[in-house]
């Protein structure tokens, strides 16, 4: 009995011997560790749950909301989250540096940075590991979502450009093609200022406005057309110029006071600059890389349409010219005569018609031969072109007959010109070619022509 008491006294029930008992401090640490482990496991479980929500997010805003909710659920309320609309490759762009009583986490994925996350005060190491993990997955999800949206934007813009090119290809004439391109771009995009300029001189950068959206003063347009500004620079350098903030560019000529960024893309075909597609945005840094790339593709297609139209215009002009003398032919003259009649009726102006016939040309042709006769017609055409105004229209009507439209010229002025030309032709051909060439002239006024056309 005494031995039992001694045993119970030396080894009380439920207690260990003093030599094997752990100190109370160790037990407290163990309990604290178990609590932290339980909390960490719960945090990791919620992080996994949040990652699944990240993957289901369809927009950038939704993804950011899920991230903020996850931080609050983890017990963090005093945090500051700053996210950018566009990613950055600058590793220092979103790290504000070490601050007093602040803990900062960069939000980045494989060199792509989206912003930073800041907390008031210092955080335990276990919390930092969990938040770092959450930030990494959030950045990865945001990067993939950005890439997906970029592909969708590029696909939409590609379809828009395809439609613009198809619709513009149906138009005839450079002005109509450019008008269609500007109208379609304004309708399908949020770009308020779209201008197309035709290049006059590649070396000086001189241009001519073909079509523009929005208003601008004639003085400002004249400055751009003279080769100054970013449009002229794009022509001279034959490359795309993009200025995220035009207010910091001294060469810029503001076509609109509200424009903040400008993109100037040269329209090039076969190494020649045909024009410039100039686009302005009211936002600073208003153009994304994929948008610039697609606008350059549009400019390439526009260059093909432009060059094709130039070839058509040249072919049409050649078809309207006399193959021997290079003067306008009878068809072109008939079309211009109708235009002049309509213009005179609309604006109450007048013009004169001068008909010329080479007297004795048949005799010269038979005597000297047809080859020499053709040379006489060519020389006479050159002689007449040098003595009429640029606004006058000279055409070969047929054989040895020529006709000229003299805008804003009355009958008296036309008769004086005819007598002078008759004398000069006779003297010139007698002295230079030793050919006795004479010309018979007839003059008619626009009112008489209009009356004859009405009777017919």
């Amino acid at each position: 009995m005494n031995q039992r008491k001694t045993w119970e006294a030396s080894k009380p029930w439920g207690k260990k011997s003093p030599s094997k008992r752990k100190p109370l401090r160790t037990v407290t640490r163990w309990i604290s560790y178990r609590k932290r482990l339980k909390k960490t496991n719960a945090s990791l479980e919620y992080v996994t749950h949040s990652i699944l929500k990240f993957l289901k997010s369809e927009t950038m805003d939704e993804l950011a909301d899920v991230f903020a909710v996850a931080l609050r659920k983890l017990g963090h309320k005093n945090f500051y989250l700053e996210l950018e609309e566009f990613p950055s490759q600058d590793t220092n762009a979103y790290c504000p540096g070490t601050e007093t009583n602040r803990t900062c986490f960069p939000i980045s994925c494989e060199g792509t940075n989206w912003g930073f996350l800041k907390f008031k005060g210092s955080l335990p190491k276990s919390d930092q590991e969990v938040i770092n993990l959450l930030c990494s997955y959030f950045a990865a999800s945001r990067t993939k979502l950005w890439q997906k949206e970029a592909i969708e934007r590029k696909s939409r813009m590609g379809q828009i450009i395809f439609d613009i090119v198809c619709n513009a290809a149906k138009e005839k004439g450079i002005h109509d093609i450019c008008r269609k391109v500007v109208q379609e771009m304004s309708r399908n995009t949020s770009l308020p200022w779209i201008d197309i300029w035709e290049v006059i001189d590649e070396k000086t950068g001189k241009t001519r406005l073909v079509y523009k959206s929005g208003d601008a003063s004639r003085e400002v347009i004249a400055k751009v057309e003279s080769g100054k500004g970013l449009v002229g620079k794009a022509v001279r350098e034959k490359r795309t110029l993009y200025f995220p903030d035009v207010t910091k560019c001294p060469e810029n000529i503001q076509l609109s006071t509200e424009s903040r960024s400008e993109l100037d893309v040269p329209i090039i075909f076969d190494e020649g600059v045909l024009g410039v597609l100039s686009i302005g945005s009211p936002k600073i840094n208003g153009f994304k890389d994929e948008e610039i790339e697609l606008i350059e593709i549009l400019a390439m297609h526009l260059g093909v349409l432009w060059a094709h139209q130039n070839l058509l215009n040249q072919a049409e002009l050649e078809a309207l010219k006399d193959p021997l003398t290079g003067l306008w032919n009878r068809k072109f003259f008939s079309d211009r005569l109708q235009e002049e009649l309509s213009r005179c009726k609309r604006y109450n102006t007048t013009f004169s018609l001068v008909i010329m016939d080479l007297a004795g040309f048949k005799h010269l042709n038979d005597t000297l031969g047809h080859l020499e006769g053709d040379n006489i017609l060519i020389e006479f055409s050159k002689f007449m072109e040098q003595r009429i105004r640029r606004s006058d229209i000279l055409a070969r009507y047929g054989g040895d007959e020529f006709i000229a439209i003299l805008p804003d010229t009355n009958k008296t002025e036309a008769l004086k010109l005819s007598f002078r030309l008759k004398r000069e032709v006779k003297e010139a051909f007698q002295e230079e070619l030793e050919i006795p060439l004479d010309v018979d002239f007839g003059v008619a006024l626009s009112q008489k022509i209009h009356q004859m056309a009405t009777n017919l």
Side-chain angles (χ1 to χ4, degrees):
M1 191 71 178
N2 291 335
Q3 290 180 355
R4 186 177 181 185
K5 285 182 179 180
T6 303
W7 180 85
E8 287 178 356
S10 61
K11 293 184 178 181
W13 181 260
K15 291 184 181 181
K16 296 182 180 179
S17 61
S19 61
K20 296 183 179 180
R21 187 175 59 190
K22 290 184 179 181
L24 182 60
R25 182 174 57 189
T26 305
V27 174
T28 305
R29 285 178 178 175
W30 173 254
I31 294 172
S32 177
Y33 170 75
R34 291 293 300 272
K35 286 183 178 180
R36 288 199 308 273
L37 182 62
K38 185 177 181 182
K39 181 182 177 182
T40 302
N41 290 336
S43 299
L44 291 174
E45 183 180 350
Y46 189 76
V47 167
T48 306
H49 180 67
S50 299
I51 291 171
L52 294 175
K53 285 190 174 182
F54 289 164
L55 298 175
K56 294 179 181 179
S57 300
E58 297 182 356
T59 64
M60 294 285 205
D61 292 338
E62 184 180 347
L63 186 64
D65 291 340
V66 172
F67 184 52
V69 170
L71 292 171
R72 294 190 185 96
K73 288 284 187 180
L74 291 172
H76 303 288
K77 296 181 179 179
N78 297 323
F79 63 85
Y80 176 75
L81 176 63
E82 180 172 321
L83 298 173
E84 296 293 336
E85 183 180 359
F86 306 108
S88 171
Q89 301 300 320
D90 184 6
T91 54
N92 299 318
Y94 303 110
C95 294
T98 306
E99 299 179 15
T100 307
N101 296 326
R102 293 286 187 276
T103 306
C104 180
F105 299 90
I107 301 174
S108 61
C109 172
E110 297 180 354
T112 302
N113 301 284
W114 288 99
F116 63 86
L117 176 65
K118 259 202 228 183
F119 289 89
K120 270 189 176 183
S122 59
L123 296 179
K125 188 175 180 180
S126 57
D127 287 358
Q128 290 184 24
E129 293 174 352
V130 171
I131 291 173
N132 262 325
L133 181 63
L134 190 64
C135 287
S136 299
Y137 277 102
F138 170 74
S141 300
R142 194 168 176 90
T143 301
K144 288 186 177 180
L145 189 58
W146 166 262
Q147 292 171 348
K148 176 185 174 184
E149 291 182 356
I151 292 172
E152 291 175 352
R153 284 195 306 270
K154 198 169 184 178
S155 177
R156 285 195 301 270
M157 285 198 67
Q159 184 62 45
I160 290 172
I161 287 175
F162 177 77
D163 294 338
I164 290 172
V165 173
C166 289
N167 291 329
K170 299 175 184 177
E171 301 293 332
K172 293 182 178 180
I174 299 299
H175 181 273
D176 291 336
I177 289 175
C178 294
R179 173 185 55 80
K180 195 67 175 179
V181 168
V182 172
Q183 290 178 349
E184 289 291 316
M185 287 187 70
S186 300
R187 185 172 63 86
N188 291 286
T189 66
S190 58
L191 299 170
W193 301 290
I194 306 169
D195 309 328
I196 299 181
W197 306 79
E198 181 182 5
V199 174
I200 305 300
D201 190 341
E202 288 188 29
K203 292 183 179 179
T204 62
K206 287 185 178 181
T207 56
R208 178 175 56 203
L209 180 63
V210 181
Y211 198 86
K212 81 182 305 298
S213 60
D215 299 325
S217 66
R218 186 62 232 177
E219 292 78 9
V220 174
I221 293 175
K223 286 183 181 179
V224 177
E225 289 181 333
S226 67
K228 298 177 181 178
L230 303 179
V231 173
K233 186 176 181 180
V235 174
R236 291 187 295 271
E237 297 185 4
K238 292 186 179 182
R239 65 183 181 91
T240 299
L241 299 178
Y242 173 46
F243 293 89
D245 188 356
V246 292
T247 59
K248 297 179 180 179
C249 179
E251 298 175 275
N252 179 53
I253 296 175
Q254 288 282 105
L255 288 171
S256 174
T257 55
E258 299 177 0
S259 178
R260 290 295 174 268
S261 56
E262 184 173 326
L263 177 66
D264 297 290
V265 183
I267 302 168
I268 299 176
F269 182 81
D270 195 21
E271 298 184 358
V273 185
L274 303 176
V276 175
L277 178 60
S278 180
I279 306 174
S281 172
K283 300 178 181 178
I284 294 177
N285 199 19
F287 296 92
K288 304 178 182 69
D289 290 341
E290 64 265 21
E291 291 176 340
I292 296 175
E293 181 183 350
L294 288 170
I295 291 172
E296 288 177 333
I297 293 173
L298 173 61
M300 290 173 57
H301 286 292
L302 184 55
V304 174
L305 292 178
W306 199 310
H308 177 68
Q309 191 61 45
N310 284 342
L311 289 175
L312 287 178
N313 293 340
Q314 185 177 355
E316 289 177 0
L317 287 176
E318 291 298 326
L320 295 173
K321 286 190 174 182
D322 177 59
L324 177 64
T325 63
L327 300 178
W328 298 114
N329 60 18
R330 186 170 182 172
K331 182 181 183 309
F332 180 83
F333 166 79
S334 300
D335 294 340
R336 288 304 305 267
L337 181 61
Q338 293 300 322
E339 291 177 10
E340 285 297 321
L341 287 171
S342 300
R343 189 178 69 87
C344 289
K345 184 178 179 181
R346 187 183 307 115
Y347 299 109
N348 194 25
T349 58
T350 185
F351 72 90
S352 294
L353 198 64
V354 178
I355 303 171
M356 295 160 274
D357 180 77
L358 300 184
F361 178 75
K362 186 177 183 305
H363 176 69
L364 291 172
N365 206 21
D366 294 340
T367 304
L368 303 175
H370 291 282
L371 183 60
E372 187 62 30
D374 289 345
N375 290 334
I376 293 173
L377 292 175
I378 293 171
E379 291 298 325
F380 175 77
S381 301
K382 292 179 180 178
F383 178 87
M384 292 300 299
E385 279 186 309
Q386 293 172 357
R387 283 160 177 78
I388 62 173
R389 301 169 301 181
R390 294 184 63 183
S391 58
D392 298 336
I393 300 160
L394 178 64
R396 185 186 180 193
Y397 202 69
D400 61 343
E401 295 178 351
F402 297 82
I403 195 164
I405 299 175
L406 310 179
D408 301 317
T409 306
N410 58 37
K411 189 174 182 180
T412 303
E413 294 170 336
L415 285 171
K416 286 177 65 176
L417 176 66
S418 300
F419 290 136
R420 179 172 61 83
L421 289 175
K422 181 178 177 70
R423 183 180 67 255
E424 291 179 356
V425 167
K426 192 172 184 179
E427 293 175 355
F429 278 79
Q430 184 66 43
E431 291 178 2
E432 296 178 11
L433 301 178
E434 298 181 355
I435 296 174
L437 187 66
D438 198 4
V439 185
D440 294 330
F441 288 89
V443 176
L445 203 59
S446 56
Q447 285 82 355
K448 185 67 176 177
I449 298 170
H450 181 71
Q451 184 180 358
M452 294 171 61
T454 304
N455 293 335
L456 289 174

